[in-house]
Amino acid sequence: MTDELGAFWVFLSDSPLLGLTATLLAFLAATWLWERAGRHPLAHPVLPAIVLLMGFLWVTGIEYQTYFDGAQYIHFLLGPATVALAIPLYDHLERIRKLLIPLLVAGTAGAATAALSAVGVALALGASRETLLSLAPKSVTSPIAMGIAEKIGGLPSLTAGLVLITGTMGCITAPLVFRVLRLRDESVRGFALGVAAHGFGTAQAFGISALAGAFAGLGLGLAGILTALILPLLPALLPG
C-alpha cells in the first residue's frame, strides 16, 4: 500500500494537475479563513494562500516551475478577469461620462503620485536602480505591473510581491482615510480603492456596493494604462 501511494505521489508531483489542484485548495482554505476573520483586510485570501502554497512547495520539495506548469491555467485567467471589469462599468456608463474629466485628472494624479513617491523614497534610501524600476509599477494590478517591470528593466518577481504589499496596505488604511476625510460617496470610495490598491481594492469596493466596485474597476484600469504610458520614461531619468 505504501509503495502504491509513493508511486502515485511521484506521478502526481510531475503532473500539471498538482499545481492547479494545490492552488484551488489553498485559495478555498484561505477564503474560509477570511470569512472566519470577518473579512479583515489582513486576512485577505491572497496572502494566506501564498503562505500555504509556499509551505506546500517547501515541504514536498517540488520545483516552482513544476508547480507553475499547472498553475499557469489560473494565471492565464488574470487577463480575462481584468477585462471583465468592463461589465459593471457599462452599467454605470452615464454617470462615468458626467465625471470623465475629474476622473481622468484624479487618475493621472494618483498613478503619477503612486509611482514617483515610491521611487523618490527608495532613491533617498539608496535603493539600487533595479529595485527602483521594480518598485515603480507596484500600485497597478499584477499582470500589468509585471509586464511594465520587465519592459523597463525591473524584476517582475519582486514587483509581484510589492503589488501584494501595496494592495494589502491600501485595503487596511482605506477605511480610516475615508472616515478622516468624511468620504461617503461610493463612487469616490471605489475609484480611490481601484487607483491605490488595484485588484485588492476593487474586491473590497465590490463589498461596499456594485457602484463602488464599478468605479474601482475604472480606477484600476485607468491607473494601469497611465502607469504603462508614464513609466517607460523613468529609466532615462534615473541615475546610472
Side-chain angles (χ1 to χ4, degrees), residues 8-76:
F8 177 73
W9 172 250
V10 170
F11 165 76
L12 188 61
S13 63
D14 290 330
S15 170
L17 181 63
L18 179 66
L20 181 62
T21 304
T23 303
L24 292 175
L25 290 176
F27 185 75
L28 287 173
T31 302
W32 179 81
L33 289 172
W34 187 44
E35 296 289 348
R36 298 280 292 180
R39 297 198 168 202
H40 193 281
L42 280 175
H44 193 284
V46 174
L47 299 177
I50 290 173
V51 173
L52 288 171
L53 286 171
M54 288 175 62
F56 171 71
L57 295 180
W58 179 69
V59 170
T60 59
I62 295 173
E63 295 290 335
Y64 174 78
Q65 189 56 52
T66 303
Y67 157 77
F68 191 71
D69 286 342
Q72 65 179 326
Y73 300 110
I74 296 176
H75 183 266
F76 167 78

Short mmCIF file of all heavy atoms in Angstrom, two decimals, residues 8-76:
data_model
loop_
_atom_site.label_atom_id
_atom_site.label_comp_id
_atom_site.label_asym_id
_atom_site.label_seq_id
_atom_site.Cartn_x
_atom_site.Cartn_y
_atom_site.Cartn_z
N PHE A 8 2.05 6.77 -6.73
CA PHE A 8 1.02 7.74 -7.11
C PHE A 8 1.52 9.17 -6.89
O PHE A 8 1.29 10.05 -7.72
CB PHE A 8 -0.25 7.50 -6.30
CG PHE A 8 -1.34 8.51 -6.57
CD1 PHE A 8 -2.04 8.48 -7.76
CD2 PHE A 8 -1.62 9.50 -5.64
CE1 PHE A 8 -3.04 9.42 -8.02
CE2 PHE A 8 -2.61 10.44 -5.88
CZ PHE A 8 -3.32 10.39 -7.08
N TRP A 9 2.23 9.38 -5.77
CA TRP A 9 2.74 10.73 -5.49
C TRP A 9 3.80 11.15 -6.52
O TRP A 9 3.84 12.30 -6.95
CB TRP A 9 3.33 10.79 -4.09
CG TRP A 9 4.04 12.10 -3.83
CD1 TRP A 9 5.36 12.31 -3.69
CD2 TRP A 9 3.41 13.39 -3.70
NE1 TRP A 9 5.62 13.64 -3.50
CE2 TRP A 9 4.44 14.33 -3.51
CE3 TRP A 9 2.09 13.81 -3.76
CZ2 TRP A 9 4.18 15.67 -3.34
CZ3 TRP A 9 1.83 15.16 -3.60
CH2 TRP A 9 2.87 16.08 -3.40
N VAL A 10 4.67 10.20 -6.90
CA VAL A 10 5.68 10.50 -7.93
C VAL A 10 5.00 10.93 -9.22
O VAL A 10 5.41 11.89 -9.87
CB VAL A 10 6.60 9.29 -8.17
CG1 VAL A 10 7.48 9.51 -9.38
CG2 VAL A 10 7.44 9.02 -6.93
N PHE A 11 3.94 10.20 -9.59
CA PHE A 11 3.21 10.55 -10.81
C PHE A 11 2.54 11.92 -10.68
O PHE A 11 2.63 12.77 -11.56
CB PHE A 11 2.14 9.49 -11.10
CG PHE A 11 1.11 9.93 -12.11
CD1 PHE A 11 1.41 9.97 -13.47
CD2 PHE A 11 -0.17 10.33 -11.69
CE1 PHE A 11 0.46 10.39 -14.39
CE2 PHE A 11 -1.11 10.75 -12.61
CZ PHE A 11 -0.80 10.78 -13.97
N LEU A 12 1.88 12.15 -9.52
CA LEU A 12 1.14 13.39 -9.31
C LEU A 12 2.07 14.60 -9.24
O LEU A 12 1.75 15.67 -9.76
CB LEU A 12 0.31 13.30 -8.03
CG LEU A 12 -0.69 14.45 -7.76
CD1 LEU A 12 -1.72 14.52 -8.88
CD2 LEU A 12 -1.36 14.26 -6.42
N SER A 13 3.24 14.43 -8.60
CA SER A 13 4.16 15.55 -8.43
C SER A 13 4.74 16.04 -9.75
O SER A 13 5.20 17.18 -9.85
CB SER A 13 5.31 15.16 -7.49
OG SER A 13 6.07 14.10 -8.05
N ASP A 14 4.72 15.19 -10.78
CA ASP A 14 5.20 15.59 -12.11
C ASP A 14 4.07 16.00 -13.03
O ASP A 14 4.30 16.33 -14.19
CB ASP A 14 5.97 14.43 -12.76
CG ASP A 14 7.31 14.17 -12.07
OD1 ASP A 14 7.88 15.15 -11.54
OD2 ASP A 14 7.77 13.02 -12.04
N SER A 15 2.85 15.99 -12.51
CA SER A 15 1.69 16.30 -13.35
C SER A 15 1.27 17.76 -13.18
O SER A 15 1.28 18.30 -12.06
CB SER A 15 0.52 15.39 -12.97
OG SER A 15 -0.67 15.82 -13.60
N PRO A 16 0.87 18.43 -14.28
CA PRO A 16 0.35 19.81 -14.18
C PRO A 16 -0.88 19.91 -13.28
O PRO A 16 -1.16 20.97 -12.74
CB PRO A 16 0.00 20.16 -15.63
CG PRO A 16 0.83 19.26 -16.46
CD PRO A 16 0.95 17.98 -15.68
N LEU A 17 -1.58 18.78 -13.10
CA LEU A 17 -2.78 18.78 -12.27
C LEU A 17 -2.46 19.16 -10.83
O LEU A 17 -3.29 19.75 -10.14
CB LEU A 17 -3.43 17.40 -12.32
CG LEU A 17 -4.73 17.21 -11.51
CD1 LEU A 17 -5.81 18.13 -12.05
CD2 LEU A 17 -5.18 15.75 -11.57
N LEU A 18 -1.24 18.87 -10.36
CA LEU A 18 -0.87 19.13 -8.98
C LEU A 18 -0.90 20.64 -8.68
O LEU A 18 -1.47 21.08 -7.68
CB LEU A 18 0.51 18.56 -8.67
CG LEU A 18 1.01 18.81 -7.25
CD1 LEU A 18 0.15 18.08 -6.24
CD2 LEU A 18 2.47 18.40 -7.11
N GLY A 19 -0.28 21.42 -9.54
CA GLY A 19 -0.23 22.86 -9.33
C GLY A 19 -1.62 23.48 -9.34
O GLY A 19 -1.93 24.35 -8.51
N LEU A 20 -2.45 23.04 -10.26
CA LEU A 20 -3.81 23.55 -10.36
C LEU A 20 -4.62 23.20 -9.11
O LEU A 20 -5.29 24.06 -8.52
CB LEU A 20 -4.49 22.97 -11.61
CG LEU A 20 -5.92 23.41 -11.89
CD1 LEU A 20 -5.99 24.91 -12.11
CD2 LEU A 20 -6.48 22.65 -13.10
N THR A 21 -4.54 21.93 -8.69
CA THR A 21 -5.29 21.48 -7.52
C THR A 21 -4.81 22.16 -6.24
O THR A 21 -5.61 22.60 -5.42
CB THR A 21 -5.16 19.95 -7.37
OG1 THR A 21 -5.59 19.32 -8.57
CG2 THR A 21 -5.99 19.45 -6.21
N ALA A 22 -3.49 22.26 -6.09
CA ALA A 22 -2.93 22.90 -4.89
C ALA A 22 -3.36 24.36 -4.79
O ALA A 22 -3.68 24.84 -3.70
CB ALA A 22 -1.41 22.79 -4.91
N THR A 23 -3.37 25.05 -5.91
CA THR A 23 -3.77 26.47 -5.91
C THR A 23 -5.23 26.63 -5.51
O THR A 23 -5.57 27.49 -4.69
CB THR A 23 -3.54 27.08 -7.31
OG1 THR A 23 -2.17 26.92 -7.68
CG2 THR A 23 -3.88 28.56 -7.31
N LEU A 24 -6.09 25.81 -6.08
CA LEU A 24 -7.52 25.90 -5.76
C LEU A 24 -7.79 25.56 -4.30
O LEU A 24 -8.56 26.25 -3.62
CB LEU A 24 -8.32 24.97 -6.68
CG LEU A 24 -8.35 25.36 -8.17
CD1 LEU A 24 -9.06 24.28 -8.98
CD2 LEU A 24 -9.04 26.70 -8.36
N LEU A 25 -7.15 24.50 -3.79
CA LEU A 25 -7.35 24.12 -2.39
C LEU A 25 -6.83 25.20 -1.43
O LEU A 25 -7.46 25.50 -0.41
CB LEU A 25 -6.66 22.78 -2.11
CG LEU A 25 -7.30 21.55 -2.76
CD1 LEU A 25 -6.45 20.31 -2.48
CD2 LEU A 25 -8.73 21.34 -2.27
N ALA A 26 -5.66 25.77 -1.77
CA ALA A 26 -5.10 26.83 -0.93
C ALA A 26 -6.02 28.04 -0.90
O ALA A 26 -6.24 28.65 0.17
CB ALA A 26 -3.71 27.23 -1.44
N PHE A 27 -6.58 28.38 -2.05
CA PHE A 27 -7.47 29.55 -2.09
C PHE A 27 -8.77 29.29 -1.34
O PHE A 27 -9.28 30.17 -0.65
CB PHE A 27 -7.77 29.94 -3.53
CG PHE A 27 -8.57 31.22 -3.64
CD1 PHE A 27 -7.97 32.44 -3.42
CD2 PHE A 27 -9.93 31.18 -3.95
CE1 PHE A 27 -8.71 33.62 -3.50
CE2 PHE A 27 -10.67 32.35 -4.03
CZ PHE A 27 -10.05 33.58 -3.81
N LEU A 28 -9.30 28.08 -1.45
CA LEU A 28 -10.52 27.74 -0.71
C LEU A 28 -10.28 27.81 0.79
O LEU A 28 -11.11 28.34 1.55
CB LEU A 28 -11.00 26.34 -1.11
CG LEU A 28 -11.62 26.22 -2.51
CD1 LEU A 28 -11.90 24.75 -2.84
CD2 LEU A 28 -12.91 27.04 -2.61
N ALA A 29 -9.13 27.28 1.23
CA ALA A 29 -8.79 27.33 2.65
C ALA A 29 -8.60 28.78 3.12
O ALA A 29 -9.05 29.17 4.20
CB ALA A 29 -7.52 26.53 2.91
N ALA A 30 -7.94 29.60 2.27
CA ALA A 30 -7.70 30.99 2.63
C ALA A 30 -9.00 31.79 2.66
O ALA A 30 -9.16 32.67 3.51
CB ALA A 30 -6.73 31.61 1.62
N THR A 31 -9.92 31.47 1.76
CA THR A 31 -11.22 32.15 1.76
C THR A 31 -12.01 31.81 3.01
O THR A 31 -12.68 32.67 3.60
CB THR A 31 -12.03 31.75 0.50
OG1 THR A 31 -11.28 32.09 -0.67
CG2 THR A 31 -13.37 32.46 0.46
N TRP A 32 -11.93 30.56 3.44
CA TRP A 32 -12.60 30.14 4.68
C TRP A 32 -12.03 30.92 5.88
O TRP A 32 -12.78 31.40 6.72
CB TRP A 32 -12.41 28.64 4.88
CG TRP A 32 -13.05 28.12 6.13
CD1 TRP A 32 -14.36 27.79 6.33
CD2 TRP A 32 -12.39 27.88 7.39
NE1 TRP A 32 -14.56 27.36 7.62
CE2 TRP A 32 -13.37 27.40 8.30
CE3 TRP A 32 -11.07 28.01 7.84
CZ2 TRP A 32 -13.07 27.06 9.61
CZ3 TRP A 32 -10.76 27.68 9.15
CH2 TRP A 32 -11.76 27.21 10.02
N LEU A 33 -10.71 31.06 5.92
CA LEU A 33 -10.08 31.82 7.00
C LEU A 33 -10.51 33.28 6.96
O LEU A 33 -10.74 33.90 8.01
CB LEU A 33 -8.55 31.72 6.87
CG LEU A 33 -7.91 30.37 7.19
CD1 LEU A 33 -6.43 30.39 6.84
CD2 LEU A 33 -8.10 30.04 8.68
N TRP A 34 -10.61 33.83 5.76
CA TRP A 34 -11.02 35.23 5.59
C TRP A 34 -12.43 35.47 6.12
O TRP A 34 -12.70 36.45 6.80
CB TRP A 34 -10.92 35.59 4.11
CG TRP A 34 -11.15 37.04 3.78
CD1 TRP A 34 -10.66 38.12 4.45
CD2 TRP A 34 -11.91 37.55 2.69
NE1 TRP A 34 -11.06 39.29 3.83
CE2 TRP A 34 -11.83 38.97 2.75
CE3 TRP A 34 -12.64 36.95 1.66
CZ2 TRP A 34 -12.46 39.79 1.82
CZ3 TRP A 34 -13.26 37.77 0.73
CH2 TRP A 34 -13.17 39.17 0.81
N GLU A 35 -13.32 34.54 5.79
CA GLU A 35 -14.70 34.64 6.29
C GLU A 35 -14.73 34.54 7.81
O GLU A 35 -15.46 35.27 8.47
CB GLU A 35 -15.56 33.54 5.66
CG GLU A 35 -15.73 33.63 4.15
CD GLU A 35 -16.62 34.79 3.74
OE1 GLU A 35 -17.28 35.39 4.61
OE2 GLU A 35 -16.65 35.11 2.54
N ARG A 36 -13.94 33.64 8.37
CA ARG A 36 -13.88 33.47 9.81
C ARG A 36 -13.31 34.71 10.50
O ARG A 36 -13.64 35.00 11.65
CB ARG A 36 -13.02 32.26 10.17
CG ARG A 36 -13.55 30.93 9.64
CD ARG A 36 -14.66 30.37 10.50
NE ARG A 36 -14.18 29.96 11.82
CZ ARG A 36 -14.96 29.44 12.75
NH1 ARG A 36 -16.25 29.28 12.52
NH2 ARG A 36 -14.45 29.09 13.92
N ALA A 37 -12.46 35.45 9.78
CA ALA A 37 -11.84 36.66 10.34
C ALA A 37 -12.68 37.91 10.09
O ALA A 37 -12.20 39.02 10.31
CB ALA A 37 -10.45 36.85 9.76
N GLY A 38 -13.92 37.71 9.63
CA GLY A 38 -14.79 38.85 9.38
C GLY A 38 -14.37 39.67 8.18
O GLY A 38 -14.64 40.87 8.11
N ARG A 39 -13.71 39.03 7.22
CA ARG A 39 -13.23 39.69 6.00
C ARG A 39 -12.29 40.85 6.30
O ARG A 39 -12.31 41.88 5.62
CB ARG A 39 -14.41 40.18 5.14
CG ARG A 39 -15.29 39.05 4.64
CD ARG A 39 -16.14 39.48 3.49
NE ARG A 39 -16.76 38.36 2.82
CZ ARG A 39 -17.20 38.37 1.57
NH1 ARG A 39 -17.08 39.47 0.85
NH2 ARG A 39 -17.75 37.31 1.04
N HIS A 40 -11.47 40.68 7.30
CA HIS A 40 -10.48 41.71 7.63
C HIS A 40 -9.43 41.77 6.52
O HIS A 40 -8.99 40.73 6.01
CB HIS A 40 -9.80 41.37 8.97
CG HIS A 40 -9.01 42.50 9.53
ND1 HIS A 40 -7.76 42.84 9.09
CD2 HIS A 40 -9.32 43.39 10.50
CE1 HIS A 40 -7.31 43.88 9.75
NE2 HIS A 40 -8.23 44.25 10.63
N PRO A 41 -9.00 42.99 6.13
CA PRO A 41 -8.02 43.12 5.03
C PRO A 41 -6.74 42.34 5.27
O PRO A 41 -6.14 41.83 4.31
CB PRO A 41 -7.75 44.63 4.99
CG PRO A 41 -8.99 45.25 5.52
CD PRO A 41 -9.50 44.31 6.57
N LEU A 42 -6.29 42.23 6.52
CA LEU A 42 -5.06 41.49 6.80
C LEU A 42 -5.20 39.99 6.51
O LEU A 42 -4.20 39.31 6.31
CB LEU A 42 -4.66 41.68 8.27
CG LEU A 42 -3.93 42.99 8.61
CD1 LEU A 42 -3.73 43.09 10.10
CD2 LEU A 42 -2.61 43.07 7.87
N ALA A 43 -6.43 39.52 6.48
CA ALA A 43 -6.68 38.10 6.21
C ALA A 43 -7.17 37.87 4.79
O ALA A 43 -7.76 36.83 4.50
CB ALA A 43 -7.70 37.56 7.20
N HIS A 44 -6.92 38.83 3.91
CA HIS A 44 -7.35 38.68 2.51
C HIS A 44 -6.87 37.34 1.95
O HIS A 44 -5.72 36.93 2.21
CB HIS A 44 -6.76 39.83 1.68
CG HIS A 44 -7.37 39.94 0.32
ND1 HIS A 44 -7.07 39.08 -0.71
CD2 HIS A 44 -8.29 40.80 -0.19
CE1 HIS A 44 -7.76 39.41 -1.80
NE2 HIS A 44 -8.50 40.46 -1.50
N PRO A 45 -7.72 36.61 1.23
CA PRO A 45 -7.38 35.25 0.79
C PRO A 45 -6.06 35.11 0.05
O PRO A 45 -5.41 34.06 0.13
CB PRO A 45 -8.55 34.88 -0.14
CG PRO A 45 -9.69 35.71 0.34
CD PRO A 45 -9.09 36.99 0.83
N VAL A 46 -5.64 36.13 -0.67
CA VAL A 46 -4.40 36.01 -1.44
C VAL A 46 -3.20 35.76 -0.53
O VAL A 46 -2.34 34.92 -0.84
CB VAL A 46 -4.17 37.28 -2.28
CG1 VAL A 46 -2.81 37.22 -2.98
CG2 VAL A 46 -5.26 37.43 -3.34
N LEU A 47 -3.14 36.45 0.61
CA LEU A 47 -1.97 36.33 1.48
C LEU A 47 -1.85 34.95 2.14
O LEU A 47 -0.80 34.30 2.05
CB LEU A 47 -2.00 37.44 2.53
CG LEU A 47 -1.97 38.87 1.98
CD1 LEU A 47 -2.09 39.88 3.11
CD2 LEU A 47 -0.68 39.10 1.21
N PRO A 48 -2.92 34.45 2.81
CA PRO A 48 -2.81 33.09 3.37
C PRO A 48 -2.59 32.03 2.29
O PRO A 48 -1.88 31.05 2.53
CB PRO A 48 -4.17 32.88 4.06
CG PRO A 48 -4.68 34.25 4.33
CD PRO A 48 -4.19 35.09 3.20
N ALA A 49 -3.17 32.22 1.11
CA ALA A 49 -2.99 31.24 0.04
C ALA A 49 -1.53 31.17 -0.38
O ALA A 49 -0.99 30.08 -0.64
CB ALA A 49 -3.87 31.61 -1.16
N ILE A 50 -0.87 32.32 -0.44
CA ILE A 50 0.55 32.34 -0.80
C ILE A 50 1.37 31.60 0.25
O ILE A 50 2.26 30.80 -0.08
CB ILE A 50 1.04 33.80 -0.94
CG1 ILE A 50 0.43 34.44 -2.18
CG2 ILE A 50 2.56 33.85 -1.03
CD1 ILE A 50 0.72 35.92 -2.29
N VAL A 51 1.08 31.86 1.52
CA VAL A 51 1.81 31.19 2.61
C VAL A 51 1.60 29.68 2.55
O VAL A 51 2.55 28.89 2.69
CB VAL A 51 1.36 31.75 3.97
CG1 VAL A 51 1.99 30.95 5.11
CG2 VAL A 51 1.73 33.22 4.09
N LEU A 52 0.36 29.27 2.32
CA LEU A 52 0.06 27.84 2.24
C LEU A 52 0.80 27.18 1.07
O LEU A 52 1.36 26.09 1.21
CB LEU A 52 -1.45 27.63 2.08
CG LEU A 52 -2.30 27.92 3.32
CD1 LEU A 52 -3.78 27.88 2.96
CD2 LEU A 52 -1.99 26.91 4.42
N LEU A 53 0.81 27.85 -0.08
CA LEU A 53 1.48 27.28 -1.25
C LEU A 53 3.00 27.24 -1.07
O LEU A 53 3.65 26.26 -1.46
CB LEU A 53 1.13 28.09 -2.50
CG LEU A 53 -0.29 27.88 -3.03
CD1 LEU A 53 -0.62 28.88 -4.13
CD2 LEU A 53 -0.46 26.45 -3.56
N MET A 54 3.55 28.29 -0.45
CA MET A 54 4.99 28.28 -0.18
C MET A 54 5.36 27.13 0.76
O MET A 54 6.35 26.42 0.54
CB MET A 54 5.41 29.62 0.44
CG MET A 54 5.39 30.79 -0.54
SD MET A 54 5.73 32.37 0.26
CE MET A 54 7.39 32.10 0.88
N GLY A 55 4.54 26.95 1.80
CA GLY A 55 4.79 25.84 2.72
C GLY A 55 4.67 24.49 2.04
O GLY A 55 5.47 23.58 2.28
N PHE A 56 3.68 24.37 1.17
CA PHE A 56 3.47 23.11 0.45
C PHE A 56 4.67 22.78 -0.44
O PHE A 56 5.17 21.64 -0.44
CB PHE A 56 2.20 23.22 -0.39
CG PHE A 56 1.97 22.08 -1.34
CD1 PHE A 56 1.61 20.83 -0.87
CD2 PHE A 56 2.13 22.25 -2.71
CE1 PHE A 56 1.41 19.76 -1.74
CE2 PHE A 56 1.93 21.20 -3.58
CZ PHE A 56 1.57 19.95 -3.10
N LEU A 57 5.16 23.77 -1.18
CA LEU A 57 6.30 23.53 -2.08
C LEU A 57 7.57 23.24 -1.28
O LEU A 57 8.39 22.41 -1.69
CB LEU A 57 6.52 24.74 -2.99
CG LEU A 57 5.39 25.06 -3.99
CD1 LEU A 57 5.74 26.27 -4.83
CD2 LEU A 57 5.11 23.86 -4.89
N TRP A 58 7.72 23.91 -0.13
CA TRP A 58 8.91 23.70 0.69
C TRP A 58 8.91 22.29 1.30
O TRP A 58 9.94 21.60 1.29
CB TRP A 58 8.97 24.75 1.79
CG TRP A 58 10.15 24.60 2.69
CD1 TRP A 58 11.47 24.81 2.38
CD2 TRP A 58 10.13 24.19 4.07
NE1 TRP A 58 12.27 24.57 3.47
CE2 TRP A 58 11.47 24.18 4.52
CE3 TRP A 58 9.11 23.84 4.95
CZ2 TRP A 58 11.81 23.83 5.82
CZ3 TRP A 58 9.45 23.50 6.26
CH2 TRP A 58 10.78 23.49 6.68
N VAL A 59 7.76 21.87 1.83
CA VAL A 59 7.67 20.55 2.47
C VAL A 59 7.84 19.43 1.46
O VAL A 59 8.53 18.43 1.72
CB VAL A 59 6.32 20.41 3.21
CG1 VAL A 59 6.10 18.97 3.66
CG2 VAL A 59 6.27 21.35 4.40
N THR A 60 7.23 19.57 0.29
CA THR A 60 7.27 18.50 -0.71
C THR A 60 8.52 18.53 -1.58
O THR A 60 8.85 17.55 -2.23
CB THR A 60 6.04 18.58 -1.63
OG1 THR A 60 6.02 19.87 -2.28
CG2 THR A 60 4.75 18.42 -0.83
N GLY A 61 9.23 19.68 -1.59
CA GLY A 61 10.42 19.79 -2.42
C GLY A 61 10.14 19.91 -3.89
O GLY A 61 11.03 19.70 -4.73
N ILE A 62 8.93 20.27 -4.24
CA ILE A 62 8.55 20.41 -5.65
C ILE A 62 9.12 21.72 -6.21
O ILE A 62 9.04 22.76 -5.56
CB ILE A 62 7.02 20.39 -5.82
CG1 ILE A 62 6.48 19.02 -5.40
CG2 ILE A 62 6.60 20.72 -7.24
CD1 ILE A 62 4.97 18.95 -5.36
N GLU A 63 9.69 21.68 -7.40
CA GLU A 63 10.23 22.87 -8.04
C GLU A 63 9.10 23.83 -8.42
O GLU A 63 8.00 23.39 -8.79
CB GLU A 63 11.02 22.49 -9.29
CG GLU A 63 12.27 21.67 -9.02
CD GLU A 63 13.35 22.49 -8.34
OE1 GLU A 63 13.34 23.73 -8.51
OE2 GLU A 63 14.18 21.90 -7.64
N TYR A 64 9.41 25.11 -8.34
CA TYR A 64 8.39 26.11 -8.67
C TYR A 64 7.89 25.95 -10.10
O TYR A 64 6.69 26.07 -10.37
CB TYR A 64 8.93 27.53 -8.47
CG TYR A 64 7.96 28.60 -8.93
CD1 TYR A 64 6.88 28.96 -8.12
CD2 TYR A 64 8.10 29.22 -10.16
CE1 TYR A 64 5.97 29.91 -8.53
CE2 TYR A 64 7.20 30.18 -10.59
CZ TYR A 64 6.14 30.52 -9.77
OH TYR A 64 5.25 31.46 -10.19
N GLN A 65 8.80 25.68 -11.03
CA GLN A 65 8.40 25.55 -12.43
C GLN A 65 7.44 24.39 -12.63
O GLN A 65 6.49 24.47 -13.42
CB GLN A 65 9.63 25.37 -13.33
CG GLN A 65 9.33 25.44 -14.83
CD GLN A 65 8.63 26.72 -15.23
OE1 GLN A 65 9.09 27.81 -14.90
NE2 GLN A 65 7.50 26.60 -15.91
N THR A 66 7.66 23.29 -11.89
CA THR A 66 6.74 22.14 -11.96
C THR A 66 5.36 22.55 -11.46
O THR A 66 4.34 22.20 -12.07
CB THR A 66 7.28 20.97 -11.12
OG1 THR A 66 8.57 20.61 -11.59
CG2 THR A 66 6.35 19.77 -11.21
N TYR A 67 5.35 23.30 -10.34
CA TYR A 67 4.07 23.80 -9.82
C TYR A 67 3.39 24.72 -10.82
O TYR A 67 2.19 24.61 -11.08
CB TYR A 67 4.31 24.53 -8.50
CG TYR A 67 3.23 25.53 -8.17
CD1 TYR A 67 2.00 25.11 -7.66
CD2 TYR A 67 3.43 26.90 -8.38
CE1 TYR A 67 1.00 26.02 -7.37
CE2 TYR A 67 2.43 27.81 -8.09
CZ TYR A 67 1.22 27.37 -7.60
OH TYR A 67 0.23 28.27 -7.34
N PHE A 68 4.17 25.62 -11.44
CA PHE A 68 3.57 26.62 -12.32
C PHE A 68 3.06 26.01 -13.62
O PHE A 68 2.20 26.60 -14.29
CB PHE A 68 4.58 27.72 -12.63
CG PHE A 68 3.97 28.91 -13.32
CD1 PHE A 68 3.13 29.77 -12.63
CD2 PHE A 68 4.22 29.16 -14.67
CE1 PHE A 68 2.56 30.86 -13.26
CE2 PHE A 68 3.65 30.24 -15.30
CZ PHE A 68 2.81 31.10 -14.59
N ASP A 69 3.55 24.85 -14.00
CA ASP A 69 3.04 24.18 -15.20
C ASP A 69 1.54 23.94 -15.09
O ASP A 69 0.82 23.91 -16.10
CB ASP A 69 3.76 22.85 -15.42
CG ASP A 69 5.18 23.06 -15.94
OD1 ASP A 69 5.46 24.16 -16.44
OD2 ASP A 69 5.99 22.12 -15.82
N GLY A 70 1.06 23.75 -13.86
CA GLY A 70 -0.38 23.59 -13.66
C GLY A 70 -1.06 24.88 -13.29
O GLY A 70 -2.15 25.19 -13.76
N ALA A 71 -0.39 25.69 -12.47
CA ALA A 71 -0.98 26.95 -12.02
C ALA A 71 -1.11 27.97 -13.13
O ALA A 71 -1.87 28.93 -13.01
CB ALA A 71 -0.14 27.53 -10.88
N GLN A 72 -0.39 27.79 -14.23
CA GLN A 72 -0.44 28.76 -15.33
C GLN A 72 -1.84 28.89 -15.92
O GLN A 72 -2.19 29.94 -16.47
CB GLN A 72 0.54 28.36 -16.43
CG GLN A 72 0.19 27.05 -17.12
CD GLN A 72 1.17 26.71 -18.22
OE1 GLN A 72 1.69 27.60 -18.89
NE2 GLN A 72 1.45 25.43 -18.41
N TYR A 73 -2.67 27.87 -15.76
CA TYR A 73 -4.03 27.95 -16.30
C TYR A 73 -4.85 28.98 -15.52
O TYR A 73 -5.70 29.67 -16.09
CB TYR A 73 -4.69 26.58 -16.25
CG TYR A 73 -3.95 25.54 -17.05
CD1 TYR A 73 -3.27 24.49 -16.42
CD2 TYR A 73 -3.89 25.61 -18.44
CE1 TYR A 73 -2.57 23.54 -17.15
CE2 TYR A 73 -3.19 24.67 -19.18
CZ TYR A 73 -2.53 23.65 -18.52
OH TYR A 73 -1.83 22.71 -19.25
N ILE A 74 -4.60 29.08 -14.21
CA ILE A 74 -5.26 30.10 -13.41
C ILE A 74 -4.62 31.47 -13.68
O ILE A 74 -5.31 32.49 -13.78
CB ILE A 74 -5.16 29.76 -11.91
CG1 ILE A 74 -5.93 28.46 -11.63
CG2 ILE A 74 -5.71 30.90 -11.04
CD1 ILE A 74 -5.83 27.98 -10.21
N HIS A 75 -3.29 31.48 -13.84
CA HIS A 75 -2.59 32.71 -14.15
C HIS A 75 -3.12 33.33 -15.44
O HIS A 75 -3.26 34.57 -15.54
CB HIS A 75 -1.09 32.41 -14.28
CG HIS A 75 -0.24 33.62 -14.52
ND1 HIS A 75 0.11 34.04 -15.78
CD2 HIS A 75 0.31 34.50 -13.66
CE1 HIS A 75 0.85 35.12 -15.69
NE2 HIS A 75 0.99 35.43 -14.42
N PHE A 76 -3.44 32.50 -16.40
CA PHE A 76 -3.97 32.98 -17.68
C PHE A 76 -5.28 33.75 -17.50
O PHE A 76 -5.57 34.70 -18.23
CB PHE A 76 -4.19 31.79 -18.63
CG PHE A 76 -5.01 32.13 -19.85
CD1 PHE A 76 -4.43 32.80 -20.92
CD2 PHE A 76 -6.35 31.80 -19.92
CE1 PHE A 76 -5.19 33.13 -22.04
CE2 PHE A 76 -7.11 32.11 -21.03
CZ PHE A 76 -6.52 32.78 -22.10
#
